[in-house]
Amino acid sequence: MSDTRIVGVHGRRVWDSRGRPTVEAEISLAGGGVGRAIAPAGASTGSGEAVELRDGGARLGGRDVRAATAAINGEIARALIGRDAADQPVIDRILIELDGTQDKRRLGGNALVAVSMAALQAAAAAAGRPLYQHLLGEIDAEVRLPSPEIQIFGGGAHAGRRVDIQDFMVVAPAAHSFDQALEMIAEVYRAAGALMAERGLLQGVADEGGFWPAFDTNEAALDALMRAIERAGFTPGQEIALSLDIASSEFGENGRYRLALDGRTLDSDAMAEMLIGWLDRYPIVSIEDPLAEDDAEGLRRFTAAVGHHVQIVGDDFLVTSAERVRAAAAQGACNAVLIKPNQAGTVSEAKAALDAARAVGWDAIVSARSGETEDVTIVHLAVGWGVGQLKVGSFARSERMAKWNEALRIEEALGPRASLAGWPRHERG
């Protein structure tokens, strides 16, 4: 292995998939290894997430990142130069202690996560291995590839709130390879677009590449998705199943849920009852943030009611926090966690949340954000950490396809060592 001492740390402003500024970090090592990573940004965010450092003011809508890049080029560079990039826990501990706040707001969660991921990439480059292999180590055993979870219709904060539900997604439980799963879902995506166009309901493309529909009700989106699956030649619930991200914190507070599209307000029990009705009528195998982050008791009751046969994922409720995962498991709320490195702020904290989930028998999904870039680090994390599910948005837009295509390259490189993770583990019954 070449010398992994850090000799250079550089931050630069780049641009994300929404045309907004974001932070790229580049780390150079004494042995010649270089790693780069870019911080993504969310639209619907949990209150406990690491806080981005944005400049405020009138320029670029207040979203510029000059202060965050200055932090990388100043304080962070001085703290990391001379350190060993191969020791990720130490690198991340330095970043956390240097920031000194609970939510990373002083130096910015965007600055910290970019540097943390860049250090990991640099260490892999120094070892002469792709990142996923660096994380796997020298193991020659079978490698589990994550099953893709792909948005077909976008809503909520990702599509002008034209529908209340944020993500209407599909998964391919009958697929035998990552390549086959993508091909099957590509057919559903094409069929959904054709159906929307025929009915005059297609409004464009949402932030994550899914179709931006003009449905009259939230349930109409589920019906349209079922028809798209059938038009693509698949049997709903067998070859293709549904997955939802309700993102209910975006329209729910204090136990009240305002469904603007449907023109009604529900309490926690009525919201859960509506979703359970959907679970009974449609082949939904995963449901994310079914109740708001401030409705822990509602999440507990919902998990108790349907968690034995449906994956219930915590995103805003858990914000990639090991502490929150352990607390939620003790409460009986959720049975899976969404892993977003920028929610936590560093790679080590994201891995700690994954480890906490595994310790309590939960599943996990590595996830991108609505404001994304060409960075493919999360794909390597999903493979290298052996996470069974990957969610990066839809089957359109290059910032999404870069990640799906990277997974295909990894599958090809692994050859017979690669197998697709089973999806899902929860049996309907």
Side-chain angles (χ1 to χ4, degrees), residues 322-384:
E323 181 181 357
R324 291 187 182 216
V325 168
R326 287 188 285 266
Q331 291 176 301
C334 302
N335 57 27
V337 61
L338 209 66
I339 300 294
K340 296 175 173 174
N342 83 312
Q343 259 184 346
T346 65
V347 171
S348 296
E349 289 168 292
K351 182 58 161 54
L354 173 62
D355 291 342
R358 285 173 165 162
V360 296
W362 282 15
D363 286 330
I365 306 169
V366 170
S367 175
R369 302 305 300 261
S370 53
E372 266 295 340
T373 71
E374 67 274 20
D375 189 290
V376 296
T377 302
I378 62 166
V379 180
H380 289 260
L381 295 180
V383 176

Side-chain angles (χ1 to χ4, degrees), residues 203-215:
Q203 301 293 299
V205 174
D207 280 356
E208 294 191 0
F211 294 113
W212 185 329
F215 293 120

Side-chain angles (χ1 to χ4, degrees), residues 102-167:
Q102 188 69 27
D103 56 10
K104 317 290 195 303
R105 71 173 52 246
R106 193 179 77 81
L107 297 176
N110 46 350
L112 268 59
V113 77
V115 171
S116 177
M117 294 193 303
L120 186 62
Q121 290 280 10
R129 295 182 293 192
L131 178 55
Y132 77 89
Q133 190 66 58
H134 180 66
L135 294 169
L136 288 168
E138 301 297 338
I139 300 172
D140 291 327
E142 183 178 282
V143 177
R144 189 173 69 152
L145 292 175
S147 292
E149 183 178 8
I150 300 183
Q151 181 195 82
I152 305 299
F153 301 132
H158 297 171
R161 305 188 191 282
R162 186 59 188 82
V163 291
D164 300 297
I165 308 307
Q166 184 163 281
D167 289 329

Side-chain angles (χ1 to χ4, degrees), residues 16 18 20 40-45 49 52 54 63 157-158 207-208 340 342 368-372:
D16 72 13
R18 288 191 286 242
R20 297 172 180 171
S44 62
T45 56
E49 289 194 25
E52 296 177 333
R54 300 282 182 173
R63 297 179 182 277
H158 297 171
D207 280 356
E208 294 191 0
K340 296 175 173 174
N342 83 312
R369 302 305 300 261
S370 53
E372 266 295 340

